[in-house]
Amino acid sequence: MSPITAIPRPARRGAHLATSIAVGALLAAMPPAASAAAQTLPFEATTSGEFWVAGDVGSSPLFVVQETGDGSAGDLGAMHYQLSVVQNLARPPAGCGPSSSTGTGGVALLTLADGALSLQRSTGSSCFSFPLVQLDETWVVGGGSGRYQGASGKLVRRVTGDVRDGSATGSLSGSLKLPH
């Protein structure tokens, strides 16, 4: 039964005011459906940072790469990022040369003026041809803080790194779904 049909019909015309007040109170107590609708935002960013390998590469096929930097996320403004990924030399991507690797995991934090986004890497590959490494990764948005609390989405990251100086430049693109 709808909230409006739950109110009995008045016996006489003078009672219409009381019924109108009751209907108004019922409607005011109902949560507005439009404000609960999710909002989807395009996400396009350019990044520039530095990366380094944590630990000794060569003692195991697995190694950790850490990166930090800054960027611009279009309408969302300036951002800072930090990430840590695990790469596997034993699984080089098809078509890539020696010392190339496939990603096995990773986490990242993007900090913007109005909150932060938490990311987990779902796929990734690193093609190495000295002195450059080409990265192609997919990241899943797993929530955040501030405006991005409860956010979801998928972002694709493409980066070129230079192993001589540890510089990394690239892009991050996709969409964010905000719950409110």
Side-chain angles (χ1 to χ4, degrees), residues 53-87:
V53 174
D56 181 25
V57 177
S59 60
S60 164
L62 298 177
F63 64 97
V64 176
V65 178
Q66 295 181 328
E67 186 178 330
T68 185
D70 296 299
S72 175
D75 291 343
L76 300 177
M79 70 172 204
H80 178 75
Y81 71 94
Q82 295 176 288
L83 63 86
S84 182
V85 297
V86 178
Q87 293 293 119

Side-chain angles (χ1 to χ4, degrees), residues 10-77:
R12 52 183 214 270
R13 290 194 187 271
H16 286 298
L17 179 59
T19 302
S20 296
I21 292 171
V23 170
L26 240 156
L27 292 175
M30 294 176 63
S35 67
Q39 177 185 16
T40 301
L41 299 173
F43 188 94
E44 299 290 332
T46 57
T47 61
S48 178
E50 60 183 11
F51 70 95
W52 62 95
V53 174
D56 181 25
V57 177
S59 60
S60 164
L62 298 177
F63 64 97
V64 176
V65 178
Q66 295 181 328
E67 186 178 330
T68 185
D70 296 299
S72 175
D75 291 343
L76 300 177

